[in-house]
Structures are given as C-alpha cells and as structure tokens.
C-alpha cells in the first residue's frame, strides 16, 4: 500500500529518472518537447474548434488532456494532448517508454482520473459522462 501511495504521489518518478537516466544531454524530461508540424496542426484544429462542431466529424475527441501526479512536486505524465479521430480511422500513440501512452488510454477508459482537459467518445464526455461512454457499444477504444 505504501508503494502505491508513493507512486501515485509522483515523488518516485523524478528519483528514478535521476538514477537511471544519467545522460547529461537531457537534464529534465519535462523540458524536452519536440512536435511534428502535423501534430501542432491537429492540436490547433481541435483547440480552435468548439466541441459540438468537432463531433460532426470526429468520434473521439481529446482536448487538452493532462495528467499530473503529486500535490507539491508535480510529475506530468500526460501534457495537454489534443487530437480528433474520425470514424473508421486507425489511430495509435507512439512514443518512448514513459511518454504517457498507457496513461492516456487509461484516462479514456476511466481507469485513471483526468487532471485537466476532457475527452469525448461518440459525443459523451469521459470526465462527466463516463457511465454513458462505458455502457454504449463502441469500436472507438479498441485497444
């Protein structure tokens, strides 16, 4: 139980990073952010469009989704992801270990609470209407 609380508090991740990632080229993983132009373009599209308008074309909408652990020293597991996925579109998250892929999908399924932002599956908010998201048949979150 103590280990679970230690992990959930976010205090363990920075310590493990300092121990195992001794590469001096990156001093803080939270400061490294490289995005492709298409990722930036998609985030701008989603963030500049009202959710109601996005629902006409996208079955899965992730808007500024963020997950942080810890109250005092915050560990950012997921940093403001924004993307819209249309029906019958194949989509996956790529990234190195610890990039937040699993945490993102756990937020979409309700296994992990969303710190800020929201996601919409078939028009239902994961944050506010999780029971509707999880009870309706959907192929959106086939993992």
């Amino acid at each position: 139980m103590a280990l679970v609380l230690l992990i959930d508090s976010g205090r363990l991740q920075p310590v493990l990073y300092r121990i195992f990632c001794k590469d001096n080229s990156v001093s803080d993983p939270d400061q490294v952010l490289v995005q492709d132009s298409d990722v930036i373009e998609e985030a701008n599209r989603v963030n500049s469009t009202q959710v109601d308008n996005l629902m006409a074309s996208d079955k899965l909408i992730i808007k500024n989704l963020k997950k942080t652990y810890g109250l005092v020293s915050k560990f950012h597991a997921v940093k403001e992801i924004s993307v819209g996925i249309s029906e019958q579109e194949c989509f996956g998250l790529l990234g190195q270990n610890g990039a937040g892929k699993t945490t993102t999908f756990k937020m979409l399924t309700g296994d992990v609470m969303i710190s800020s932002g929201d996601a919409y599956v078939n028009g239902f908010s994961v944050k506010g209407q999780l029971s509707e998201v999880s009870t309706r048949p959907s192929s959106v979150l086939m993992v």
Side-chain angles (χ1 to χ4, degrees), residues 30 62-69 74-82 100 103-104 107-108 112-119 127:
D30 289 340
I62 301 172
K63 197 161 188 169
N64 292 318
L65 199 65
K66 185 176 183 181
K67 179 61 184 175
T68 55
Y69 292 99
K74 297 214 181 243
F75 175 76
H76 301 279
V78 176
K79 290 184 173 183
E80 299 183 7
I81 294 177
S82 295
T103 303
T104 299
M107 285 189 286
L108 294 176
V112 171
M113 286 181 53
I114 297 171
S115 296
S116 66
D118 203 351
K127 217 172 175 180

Side-chain angles (χ1 to χ4, degrees), residues 110-131:
D111 291 339
V112 171
M113 286 181 53
I114 297 171
S115 296
S116 66
D118 203 351
Y120 302 86
V121 178
N122 290 325
F124 296 102
S125 165
V126 171
K127 217 172 175 180
Q129 299 170 299
L130 185 59
S131 60

Side-chain angles (χ1 to χ4, degrees), residues 17-142:
Y17 178 79
R18 283 187 213 104
I19 292 170
F20 294 110
C21 300
K22 296 186 182 206
D23 181 6
N24 292 331
S25 64
V26 178
S27 59
D28 182 2
D30 289 340
Q31 300 303 317
V32 177
L33 182 63
V34 178
Q35 291 185 342
D36 292 332
S37 59
D38 55 341
V39 172
I40 294 169
E41 184 179 317
E42 177 65 7
N44 288 339
R45 179 186 77 85
V46 171
N47 292 330
S48 65
T49 308
Q50 293 292 326
V51 173
D52 292 337
N53 294 336
L54 288 170
M55 287 181 193
S57 61
D58 298 325
K59 294 297 179 184
L60 172 62
I61 302 162
I62 301 172
K63 197 161 188 169
N64 292 318
L65 199 65
K66 185 176 183 181
K67 179 61 184 175
T68 55
Y69 292 99
L71 297 173
V72 178
S73 65
K74 297 214 181 243
F75 175 76
H76 301 279
V78 176
K79 290 184 173 183
E80 299 183 7
I81 294 177
S82 295
V83 64
I85 314 297
S86 62
E87 189 173 13
Q88 297 185 357
E89 182 175 348
C90 181
F91 175 78
L93 295 175
L94 300 176
Q96 63 188 22
N97 292 344
K101 302 176 297 291
T102 301
T103 303
T104 299
F105 282 109
K106 284 185 175 186
M107 285 189 286
L108 294 176
T109 59
D111 291 339
V112 171
M113 286 181 53
I114 297 171
S115 296
S116 66
D118 203 351
Y120 302 86
V121 178
N122 290 325
F124 296 102
S125 165
V126 171
K127 217 172 175 180
Q129 299 170 299
L130 185 59
S131 60
E132 290 293 329
V133 171
S134 61
T135 57
R136 304 228 177 214
S138 173
S139 60
V140 173
L141 291 179
M142 293 279 197

